[in-house]
Amino acid sequence: MRKMLFTAASLALVAVTAPSIAAPCKDAKGKFVKCPPKGPVKPVRCKAANGKFTKCGTPGAKPM
């Protein structure tokens, strides 16, 4: 009897959590899409030819 109750409880738990694991990223129409990155996004920093940090719009600046 205990084995049957344990099995039923574990199956119910799996049935509840499986849909949330299977499709975490869907758009409004229900299609699968790429998930957005988690955590904060680092800002882009650029360096000039001499190795000092500069604005990314200046000529010769390269993103790190």
Side-chain angles (χ1 to χ4, degrees):
M1 184 70 172
R2 283 187 183 176
K3 287 184 181 182
M4 290 176 57
L5 288 175
F6 179 73
T7 305
S10 62
L11 286 176
L13 181 64
V14 170
V16 170
T17 59
S20 64
I21 295 171
C25 299
K26 287 187 176 183
D27 63 359
K29 295 181 181 179
K31 293 186 178 184
F32 290 103
V33 294
K34 186 176 180 181
C35 295
K38 293 182 180 180
V41 178
K42 291 184 179 180
V44 177
R45 298 183 73 185
C46 296
K47 280 193 175 182
N50 61 359
K52 294 184 179 180
F53 289 105
T54 183
K55 291 184 180 179
C56 290
T58 59
K62 295 181 182 177
M64 294 181 23

